[in-house]
Amino acid sequence: MTLAAATDLAVATNEHLASISNTLIYSSMAVYTLAFFAYIAEWLFGSRSKVARTAAALTTDGARKAGAPAVTVKQAGGTAVLERPKVVVRSVSGARDVPDGPGAHGGDEQGDLYGRIAISLTVLAFLVELVGVVTRAASVERAPWGNMYEFNITFSTVAVGVYLGLLALRKNVRWLGLFLITTVLLDLGLAVTVLYTASDQLVPALHSYWLYIHVSTAIFCGAVFYVGAVATILYLFKDSYENKLQTGGKPGSFATSVLERLPASASLDKFAYRVNAAVFPLWTFTIIAGAIWAGDAWGRYWNWDPKETWSFITWVAYACYLHARATAGWKGRKAAYLAMIAFGCWLFNYYGVNIFVSGKHSYAGV
């Protein structure tokens, strides 16, 4: 076989692999959509659950007193005893004891069944998308992080992987499923419509083993920050809901149906803090690794390039959040607002800087 024929064969093979990758990404979107509807069904069936309504009743002053008895719920063919949920105490001034909600399924058997189906579909979609990302890498014979399209499909894969990993560790995070999959579908939709870029080789500056170190850690950090941001948003809603109940207000029926099944605001706050705190050292390493790579590629460790600047701003924002959580006067909502500002900085660092700002990191295009 001549060199030209071998080259043509390699090009055709890579194009075929790229086509397979695109098909797999679209297939994963279809399965994620099925998972989305299964999560919706879980929430809908959970909304009619007696367990959810009873959990809400346990937030009253009388039921929160120590030694509150178990609650009996009449069912067809007998009586079931609902144990009082474990109380989580928020360690701030004016703390209140609020039990975690029963979850999206609300204790309803059909709701729980749909929740399990949703998890199974999420696992299937994750595996299909993962194979799509790997196939994309094979089509370009490099790590699939050379442009925003590749970054997006990898980012969404890792975000779902983090969620499934927490479930595998038996963490109570199934309530994240609907909110996570909704935004993953939006992310993939943006990737395949606006950000899609045909397979191509990297510019010389990116031909380095630091691509695997720096970019992979950046993607993982972003995925974990994203999970923390979702929990923070839910915390803000749940905290407002609990405040309204505590002051004698009456939330709307829809808000009550949804929010009463989530973990207590203290649990959501603690979860968001822990995931952000756990990944912050790795984000620090990501910035250091990028500086070392910049020194190898451009001869200077730090150029105040827009990407470098906003990475540092993001680092400072998360550092302020973590410091605020350790300061008595800045726990709760104030710290949560800082967390959202920090994640907003991360989002702008990726989308805003890449699309609207020119710099040394503009080599990959969209």
Side-chain angles (χ1 to χ4, degrees):
M1 181 182 294
T2 65
L3 179 60
T7 302
D8 291 341
L9 178 60
V11 170
T13 300
N14 290 343
E15 290 178 350
H16 181 62
L17 288 173
S19 177
I20 293 175
S21 173
N22 295 341
T23 301
L24 289 169
I25 296 300
Y26 278 106
S27 298
S28 71
M29 292 176 66
V31 182
Y32 277 132
T33 301
L34 294 176
F36 169 79
F37 285 116
Y39 283 117
I40 289 288
E42 178 186 20
W43 280 91
L44 289 176
F45 280 101
S47 66
R48 68 181 188 177
S49 170
K50 295 179 180 179
V51 175
R53 292 197 296 272
T54 306
L58 287 172
T59 63
T60 61
D61 290 339
R64 289 204 309 270
K65 292 179 181 178
V71 179
T72 59
V73 179
K74 293 183 179 179
Q75 293 180 339
T79 300
V81 177
L82 173 67
E83 297 295 335
R84 182 173 183 267
K86 182 180 179 181
V87 171
V88 181
V89 180
R90 186 165 59 178
S91 56
V92 294
S93 178
R96 54 179 181 264
D97 298 345
V98 178
D100 285 344
H105 56 82
D108 183 88
E109 290 186 4
Q110 284 183 292
D112 183 62
L113 174 62
Y114 278 109
R116 293 178 184 276
I117 292 173
I119 294 298
S120 300
L121 289 171
T122 302
V123 171
L124 176 60
F126 166 76
L127 293 175
V128 172
E129 186 181 12
L130 179 62
V131 175
V133 172
V134 172
T135 306
R136 173 76 177 199
S139 73
V140 291
E141 300 177 355
R142 57 168 172 78
W145 310 319
N147 50 61
M148 290 183 68
Y149 167 74
E150 294 174 353
F151 192 100
N152 264 43
I153 61 175
T154 306
F155 170 78
S156 60
T157 304
V158 175
V160 176
V162 169
Y163 168 63
L164 295 176
L166 290 171
L167 286 175
L169 293 173
R170 299 186 181 280
K171 302 298 182 181
N172 177 28
V173 294
R174 204 164 92 181
W175 44 268
L176 265 175
L178 175 61
F179 309 99
L180 177 73
I181 297 306
T182 300
T183 47
V184 163
L185 280 171
L186 292 174
D187 176 74
L188 288 175
L190 179 66
V192 300
T193 55
V194 178
L195 302 178
Y196 180 76
T197 303
S199 300
D200 201 359
Q201 295 304 311
L202 297 174
V203 296
L206 292 180
H207 286 286
S208 170
Y209 60 88
W210 283 106
L211 172 69
Y212 297 90
I213 300 173
H214 172 64
V215 182
S216 63
T217 55
I219 291 173
F220 180 77
C221 289
V224 177
F225 283 147
Y226 166 68
V227 171
V230 173
T232 301
I233 292 172
L234 294 177
Y235 157 75
L236 291 171
F237 280 106
K238 187 62 182 278
D239 186 64
S240 295
Y241 171 77
E242 290 177 3
N243 283 333
K244 182 171 286 189
L245 288 178
Q246 192 176 41
T247 56
K250 186 175 181 180
S253 58
F254 178 77
T256 299
S257 175
V258 173
L259 295 175
E260 72 182 0
R261 284 177 278 158
L262 291 175
S265 62
S267 298
L268 292 169
D269 185 39
K270 184 182 294 184
F271 173 77
Y273 169 67
R274 285 179 173 177
V275 296
N276 286 327
V279 81
F280 181 73
L282 188 59
W283 181 249
T284 304
F285 169 77
T286 300
I287 296 176
I288 294 173
I292 296 173
W293 188 9
D296 290 344
W298 302 320
R300 291 183 62 183
Y301 292 105
W302 196 265
N303 296 285
W304 291 107
D305 180 74
K307 179 71 71 172
E308 296 171 347
T309 302
W310 276 95
S311 295
F312 179 67
I313 291 173
T314 302
W315 184 90
V316 171
Y318 273 107
C320 290
Y321 161 71
L322 295 176
H323 177 72
R325 285 292 277 101
T327 304
W330 277 83
K331 289 183 182 292
R333 296 185 71 87
K334 291 181 180 180
Y337 291 139
L338 282 178
M340 294 311 302
I341 291 173
F343 185 68
C345 291
W346 187 90
L347 285 178
F348 183 79
N349 182 38
Y350 177 56
Y351 289 102
V353 172
N354 282 13
I355 295 174
F356 302 112
V357 183
S358 296
K360 287 182 175 293
H361 287 78
S362 301
Y363 38 69
V366 174

